[in-house]
Every structure is written in C-alpha cells, then in structure tokens.
Amino acid sequence: MSERGAAGPGPAAIQVSRIMRPDDANIAGNVHGGTVLKMIEEAGAIISTRHCNSQAGEPCVAALARVERTDFLSPMCIGEVANVSAEITYTSKHSVEVQVNVLSENILTGAKKVTNKATLWYVPLSLKNVNKVVEVPPIQYARKEQEDEGRKRYEEQKLDRLETKQRNGDVIFPVINPEPHTVGYSQSSLIHLVGPSDCTLLGFVHGGVTMKLMDEVAGIVAARHCKTNIVTASVDAINFHEKIKKGSVITISGRMTFTSNKSMEIEVFVDADPFVDEPQERYRAVSAFFTYVSLSKEGRPLPVPQLLTETEEEKRRFEEGKGRYLQTKAKRQAQMQRAAQQ
Amino acid sequence: MSERGAAGPGPAAIQVSRIMRPDDANIAGNVHGGTVLKMIEEAGAIISTRHCNSQAGEPCVAALARVERTDFLSPMCIGEVANVSAEITYTSKHSVEVQVNVLSENILTGAKKVTNKATLWYVPLSLKNVNKVVEVPPIQYARKEQEDEGRKRYEEQKLDRLETKQRNGDVIFPVINPEPHTVGYSQSSLIHLVGPSDCTLLGFVHGGVTMKLMDEVAGIVAARHCKTNIVTASVDAINFHEKIKKGSVITISGRMTFTSNKSMEIEVFVDADPFVDEPQERYRAVSAFFTYVSLSKEGRPLPVPQLLTETEEEKRRFEEGKGRYLQTKAKRQAQMQRAAQQ
Amino acid sequence: MSERGAAGPGPAAIQVSRIMRPDDANIAGNVHGGTVLKMIEEAGAIISTRHCNSQAGEPCVAALARVERTDFLSPMCIGEVANVSAEITYTSKHSVEVQVNVLSENILTGAKKVTNKATLWYVPLSLKNVNKVVEVPPIQYARKEQEDEGRKRYEEQKLDRLETKQRNGDVIFPVINPEPHTVGYSQSSLIHLVGPSDCTLLGFVHGGVTMKLMDEVAGIVAARHCKTNIVTASVDAINFHEKIKKGSVITISGRMTFTSNKSMEIEVFVDADPFVDEPQERYRAVSAFFTYVSLSKEGRPLPVPQLLTETEEEKRRFEEGKGRYLQTKAKRQAQMQRAAQQ
C-alpha cells in the first residue's frame, strides 16, 4: 500500500470515508484544506492510540507532536467522498509515525485523485499522568530497509523540532486604515473557546481541531489580499510544542509574509489563554506557514497581487519567505528530475 | 466478512471509523442511537451511490428507501471508536441492499463489541430528473444461494413497504396539565429547518439526518416518562415514502405507545412543510417505532413506570404495541433456540 | 474605537473574524440573526470572563445577564466575513458591560457594512459555587464622563430587569386546523436537549446558544406567516433570569403578536425541564420579542399579511405590540433628528 510501509495494511490500517458537505467547503465549492487536515489527524489519532495500547501496559492517549510538510495536490469538491487511509510506518521508543493518504472520489463518475499524503508523529501520554510519555510497542517491518529509512526520518524530524522557535515575542498588532496589499490590510484573527468536542480523552485539544482553525484564518488572510477564490496549496511542517486545555480560549492570528507570482505565504500563530482557574499566562502553542493559491473558475492558478512590505520586519520576513519558497521549488524540481530518470 | 455477502468485501466494501465525542452522547456518556443510525446511513449512501454509478449510464444518487428493524446490542461510550463497515449484499433491477456492521472499539483496552447490524435499501434517482429511478448494475454472487436468499429478502420488504400505512390522519394533540406517566405527559415535538448540510447532491434530506432527529425526539419522550438515563434498544423497520426538500421545515413528534416491565415503545412521526415558494401542503414523510430501555449506573436495565392510558385510542395503541412486543420476543426466543440447536 | 469606550481598545479588546458558511444562513443565503447573536455573545463571554479573572481572586465564569435591544442594520451573506469586536465599557461591583460591534465584510470586493451594535451585561459566578457572584475588578476610564454615563446605563438596565415579568403563566396552546394568518396558524415550538457544547465551564447553557434557538423559532413563525424570505430586523432587550443546566430539555415556543405594514413581532418563550435526577419543575427561563421583515429577491422589504387576531388575549397582545412598535419608531425618528442637527 505504501512504499515505505510496514508489512501490509494489516490490522493496524484504518480507513475513513465521508461525503463532503457544503459546510466543508468555500462558496466556490472547494473543500477547505482545514477540513482535510482535521480528517487526517483524526485517523492518525485513532490508529496511533490503538497501537500504543495494543500491549499490556499503562493506558495512554496519543497526542499529535508534529505534522510534516503537506501538499494539497488537487482540490476536492462538495459531494465527493474523501477516503482517508492511515497506517503506522515507524515507531521509536516514544513516538509513532503515521502515514495518511487522502483520495478524493467522485462517486458519480468513479474518478479518483490523490489529494494529500501526510506524515504525522504522535507521542503516547499516560491516561493517569498527562506529563508522562509511555513506551511504544515496536512494529514489525517487512524489510530491514524500511526500519532504517524510518529511523532516518525520525532523526531528521527530531532535529527540526529542536530547532523550531515558536516566535514567542512575535505579536500581530492591528493597523488603522491600512493600504490594500500591505501586510496590515489582510491580517486577521479569530478566537475560539475550547469545548468538550474539541478535545481528546485527556481533555486537551485535538491537533486536527487546531489545524482546521489555523487554515480558516489563513484562508481569510489570503482572500482579503487577493479578493478571489483561494485554496490551500501546502502547509509547512508544524510542531505542537504545547498542549491546550479544555476551557481555554485560543486566539489564532494570521499575516501574509510573502507572495510569489502565483502563491501567497501566510504565517499563523496560535496563542492559548487558560484564563479561568489557572495561574498560567497566555502562551504560544503553535505556529505555522500556510501557502495559498488563487484559482480561476476553470481551476487554473491566477496571478497574485504582490505583497507591499513597509517595515524592516516585514521586509525581513518577506525575504525569509522567499528563501522557503525557492528551497521548496528546488526540492520539487530535484524530485521530478529523479522521477524522470527512473 | 458477512455470511450473506457477495464475493468477499471486494472493491465495493467501505469502512468508516470515528471517535465518539461528548456531543454524540447523553450526559451519562452513552452514545445516542441516532448518532449511530446517521453513521450507518452515510456509509450506506456512499457505497450504494458508488455502485449505481459504476457502469456507464445516467448519473444518479442513491436515496434511502427503507431500513430493516435494527437492534442496539450494546451501548457505545464517549472516547470509543465506532467502526462502521458496509457492503452490498443484493441488487434488484431498481434497488440495492446494503448490510452495515458497527463495532465499538475501546482503543485503550482493545476490547471490541458488536453494536449494530443494519440492513438498508436504497433506490438510485437520476441526477437530472429526481423522479426517475435508474437501473442498478447487478452484483456477482459467490454462491447461487446468496442470490436466492437476497431475492427472498427483497420480496419480503417489498410486501411490507406496500402494507405500511403512513398513519396520515394521526396527529399528536397537546394535553393541558397532564398527569405523570400518561401519554400526554411525555409526548414531545421538535422543529428543524432543513439546511444545506442535511441534504444529498439532489437537494433532499439524507435518511440518516431524519433518523437522528427521530431518535432525539423519542429519547426525550422516554426520558420524560421515566426520568432516568435511557438508551435506544431497537428501531422497527422504517420506510421512507416521501422525500423532504432543502429549505423545508420538518416537525418530528413522538408519543409513548406501550411499556413492558423494562422497555418503552415510542411512535415517531415526521411531517414536512415545504412552506416557502411551494404550493404543496404539509405531508407525512416518515413514521416509526423506537424502543428504549432505562439503565442504572452499572448499565443494567431498570424497571419502567407503566404507561397510563386514558382514551380508547391510547388503549388500542397500547394493545398494538403489546402485540409487536410479544411478536419480537417470540422471534428472538426462536432464534436463540435455533442457535442453541446448531 | 468606541465613543463610550474605556481608554482605547487596550489589552481587554478582542477581535474575531469568521467566514459565514451555508449552515449559518437560510436558503436565500442570508445569515440567520441567531448566528450573529451567538457570535456576539461568545465574544462577550470571553472578554468578560477574562477581565473578571484578571486579578488574584476567586476563579469565575461570566454568565450573560442581559442583552440590550439590538438592531440588525443590514443582512449578511454566505461567504462574507463577520468581524466581531468586543470591549468592556463599564464595570459595577458585580457586573460587566460589554459593547460588541459586528461588521460584515465582502472579502471579494472589500466592501464593509455595520451589521450590529450590541450591549451585553455579564455577572461573574464563582467556579466553585455557582450561586456566588464574585467582585469585578474596576476598569480605568479615559474621561470621567464615561464612568458617569456607564453608571447611568447600569441603573437603567437594573430598573428594567426588576420590572420584567417572565410571563410565567403564559403558555402557547396549539390550535386545530387554524386559518391562514391567525396566531395559531404560524405558532411553533422546538425542543432541544442541552449538550456539552452548549454549555460554559460551569455546566450552564451559554446565553448565545439560547438566543440562537430563539431566533430559529421566531424565524419559522415569521416564514409560516408570510411564506417568503424573512430576516431578523431587531431583538428587544432580553433578561436571563434563570440558568439552564446541562442535560436539561428546553422548549422554545414562538407566536406572532403584532404586524405593521412591513414588519412582524414574534414573542418567544424558553422553558427548561431539568427532568433527569432533579426534583425541580419545568420553569420559564427567558422570554423576548423578535421583529422580522420579509425581503424581496433584491433585498427590499415586502408588505406583510396582517395578523388576524381572534381572542381577547390576542387583541390585547396586538395592541401592546403596536405600542412597542410606535415607541421604537418615535425613538428612531428622534435620534435621526438629533443626528441631522449635529
């Protein structure tokens, strides 16, 4: 099933299918990237929690620690069926790698398209003591190379997680009467009160719920900037450093950092505010970069107005965004060349 | 997978898994029967629509025509994973039989229990002309007997559908200052405005949405009667004679018809009111009987206060309910004897 | 930001943006007034709970006590962004006044319109003892007059709250075979089982959830009366005298009380029924008047069929409604004259 997979889908694989409804999509009928991310994470949470409890030991709940960079390969539409399949592809002593594939299926024509391939890392937390990470039962690999490749991916993401700064000092201030296409013009924020259905058995927010809200804010920023139909093109790797407790208020803020000819990069921050019965201060829980494209009615990418940077900070962020953009482009070209040579 | 199945699960089988959330359950933590019925119907709608479009021909959407009697074998709880699997088990020229199994899985302990086995009948309606039923591609059977048994089930349900009276004249009148445990005391009704997310691609309400609302009303009637924690025990066969259009207002009304020592039978009516831009009058869309039991904190069935019937009509309905109750009981005992003899 | 505001938005102000989805609107695409009321209340609950916990003291949750009369100045549509901003404008020893503004933004054209201005009063209840009202930390005012004006508003609403009768004896009786345009013809009621997502941390229903359900019933009454596309025009001041607990069943009933040439007034009652494990009887929790208008496809107000009153009670209520209508009209004309003179 997966090139890098364990020995077949087996009992560890999980399948989720759901018809896309109007509320899952924007007014042009394109399913929100956030809806897809939420489904992906739910499948991942089920399969990793199930695996981590598969041997006698301390009961635990798998918490999302990281999502690798994810590309949205083709848009999904209202009425199509999203088929999400997840399997465990690597386990370290304290973490589980889950590979999730999303296929969109037009059940009228039978046409299927790959929409996403995502890789998620989960960490099992004890049901009795949420600060304790329990041990993960090892999986069996069909071939030795699968284990080696998995270990390599594990080491890489571990390094990246250590390096990530949460940009804690970075705050989005409102701007009075901003000019069109400036950063201040499109920046947006949203507040959400964390309810019971947003949370795992441990009483902390599901990573998928957070990602869905992040995509919602990023989408508003993108639409405000280019005033056309926009869709999520990709999400950079996201690290979930801090848990968010039930009853917290989360503020999700987004601002545009970079535009290429046909894409927009939006930085999104999630700040949590325990705010009742908790001595804790507001803290930065997650941050991430979303890339959006603007689509014509025929579904082709449209040119995007250039972001007007004003302050030194904005110019610096624009250059950093450009760096990420060129790096991704180079990586993709290298992959395509490799594929062509095979 | 299924005893009566076609040649293995094959490409036609579908699997859906979802974690049960607080919003899916009552305050005692038991998942609403209606939540399960909605998941079952969604899986059935996907698999039958997919099958009916699997050969070149007129694009169509499968509409729920009937659900066979369904027993809720064991309660499901918040945090458990509902695993729903559906497969097509028979096709006639114009209808599809879908068999759906629901397993509840405690992902912490690995324990799995069969929660439901349901049989649904779908009819494919043309996407261009909702009043036209298109032809169903035949499925392949592994053994000749499977086809014969399927045909028998098909003929039986066809007969039953013709016989069903919609009880069109039957209306639930409110009672002023009713005494506890009378019919008027617990009868309840609910209004729902049909929104876009309730509907199929054809713009008509999903059968599963209707069943969920029916279970909600039946549950309120049961709780008002016995004022304890109640759960759905079974649902009698439901026939969907009339479609309900987007934008309609539906009134779902329920009244208790019968109580045994440990169960309550509630009759539920669904009336649709097109009401905007439509010359059509209010009409009876569906009616059904739900059976509820009352559970102690340990999950054991509690005695139920006897229903006090006052009018001749109520006494007649009580006797009819008793008839259904005794018939079901006899059928179940016969099944158990047969099972014991095998 | 606000004329009556404290010293600038400051740390206490909050800004929330959300895209309006199909489920937020009726079939004509107009966002339900109830959706807007729910967003307003959520912003108010967050800002006032945060403020009341901003100093060392007993942890508490702010509960909605009152919403002042609110006008819906222009309709919002699917795909538009609702921008909700809330700030605290007055504090008494035991209550907080929150001013909320709602802007609708068409992100494709950039056009913005003021949709609502609402004033809400919250009371902080102790997290440990829900019957104890804790003290509110005072806010700083930029100018002395702001405090004086706030105190005046506080005294006014206090008086009004004392005066409000809950119309406890008033019950909506069903009518058999009512004539079109009579009160009995359009009256409607809805039952809702209070789930976990409807509730605050204290386990009581959010005021915004109640208001959304009230608007839903009022909208059904209005649509049944005039059978056209209808939208909420205004909501009279609502006092929340009684809390509603998780697990309760609430019955929301509405009946038309008055029609002018182009508007309809609907009275809505909310009755709560604790009903499981609670000795308490059903009680009237809230009541309010909603005003609706009927809109043509171009968004212009249409004439409304006159309400046919039959009983003495209905005639009396019609006259009272007329009184409220004329009073509001006179107030608005006075405001416009004052504005013209400035």
Side-chain angles (χ1 to χ4, degrees), chain B residues 189-200:
Chain B
S189 77
L190 182 156
I191 287 184
H192 178 73
L193 180 59
V194 174
S197 290
D198 299 328
C199 294
T200 66

Side-chain angles (χ1 to χ4, degrees), chain C residues 301-330:
Chain C
L302 291 174
V304 161
Q306 210 195 325
L307 181 67
L308 301 181
T309 52
E310 295 173 308
T311 67
E312 282 311 303
E313 273 295 289
E314 288 174 9
K315 289 183 208 303
R316 183 184 56 72
R317 287 200 299 263
F318 191 93
E319 288 308 313
E320 288 175 6
K322 196 176 195 169
R324 282 185 293 270
Y325 170 75
L326 294 173
Q327 211 180 348
T328 306
K329 206 173 165 183

Side-chain angles (χ1 to χ4, degrees), chain A residues 39-325:
Chain A
M39 288 183 74
I40 287 174
E41 201 273 322
E42 184 163 339
I46 292 175
I47 198 171
S48 52
T49 301
R50 181 192 280 164
H51 176 76
C52 293
N53 288 285
S54 62
Q55 292 183 4
E58 215 168 324
C60 60
V61 174
L64 182 65
R66 176 180 166 93
V67 181
E68 299 293 348
R69 181 191 162 80
T70 305
D71 290 299
F72 290 80
L73 306 171
S74 75
M76 215 186 296
C77 296
I78 298 174
E80 291 186 340
V81 172
N83 293 295
V84 178
S85 57
E87 61 177 323
I88 294 176
T89 42
Y90 181 75
T91 51
S92 76
K93 194 175 174 192
H94 289 299
S95 64
V96 178
E97 185 199 52
V98 180
Q99 174 77 25
V100 184
N101 292 310
V102 184
L103 271 181
S104 71
E105 175 190 2
N106 183 326
I107 44 175
L108 302 185
T109 65
K112 287 184 189 185
K113 280 187 199 167
V114 175
T115 306
N116 279 83
K117 291 185 179 193
T119 306
L120 300 92
W121 294 90
Y122 286 86
V123 169
L125 306 177
S126 162
L127 196 59
K128 279 163 207 156
N129 174 4
V130 72
N131 294 314
K132 182 179 168 193
V133 179
V134 305
E135 283 198 22
V136 175
I139 59 166
Q140 301 301 321
Y141 301 90
R143 290 174 294 118
K144 177 74 173 66
E145 302 89 74
Q146 291 174 341
E147 185 168 6
D148 296 341
E149 286 162 28
R151 189 177 304 114
K152 213 177 125 199
R153 292 193 302 274
Y154 169 73
E155 296 297 344
E156 273 172 14
Q157 62 88 27
K158 202 172 162 185
L159 207 66
D160 188 88
R161 280 167 69 183
L162 287 172
E163 274 177 3
T164 318
K165 318 146 216 147
Q166 278 303 316
R167 299 174 178 262
N168 278 300
D170 234 344
V171 175
I172 295 181
F173 290 115
V175 179
I176 314 304
N177 294 324
E179 289 295 307
H181 306 137
T182 59
V183 175
Y185 184 72
S186 57
Q187 69 186 21
S188 304
S189 74
L190 182 157
I191 285 186
H192 178 74
L193 183 57
V194 175
S197 286
D198 298 328
C199 294
T200 66
L201 277 182
L202 285 168
F204 293 97
V205 178
H206 274 291
V209 169
T210 309
M211 289 193 285
K212 186 165 189 284
L213 290 165
M214 292 170 89
D215 177 68
E216 196 172 329
V217 167
I220 293 174
V221 173
R224 278 184 166 155
H225 181 78
C226 66
K227 306 201 179 302
T228 54
N229 178 37
I230 49 87
V231 297
T232 317
S234 67
V235 185
D236 257 27
I238 311 182
N239 293 312
F240 292 80
H241 286 294
E242 299 282 346
K243 294 187 288 288
I244 305 171
K245 207 176 166 181
K246 184 161 70 186
S248 300
V249 167
I250 48 180
T251 305
I252 302 108
S253 326
R255 67 175 165 211
M256 198 164 286
T257 43
F258 168 74
T259 50
S260 71
N261 285 341
K262 296 197 175 169
S263 73
M264 299 162 272
E265 188 196 59
I266 295 119
E267 183 172 25
V268 182
F269 299 116
V270 179
D271 294 302
D273 197 346
F275 108 144
V276 175
D277 205 19
E278 301 278 334
Q280 204 183 347
E281 285 295 296
R282 172 190 278 229
Y283 58 93
R284 174 76 28 103
V286 196
S287 67
F289 291 101
F290 284 71
T291 300
Y292 272 74
V293 291
S294 163
L295 289 188
S296 72
K297 274 177 192 161
E298 297 73 36
R300 244 163 295 160
L302 292 173
V304 161
Q306 210 196 324
L307 181 67
L308 301 180
T309 52
E310 295 173 309
T311 67
E312 282 310 305
E313 273 294 290
E314 289 173 7
K315 289 183 208 302
R316 183 184 56 73
R317 286 199 300 263
F318 192 93
E319 288 309 313
E320 289 175 5
K322 197 176 194 169
R324 282 184 294 270
Y325 170 75

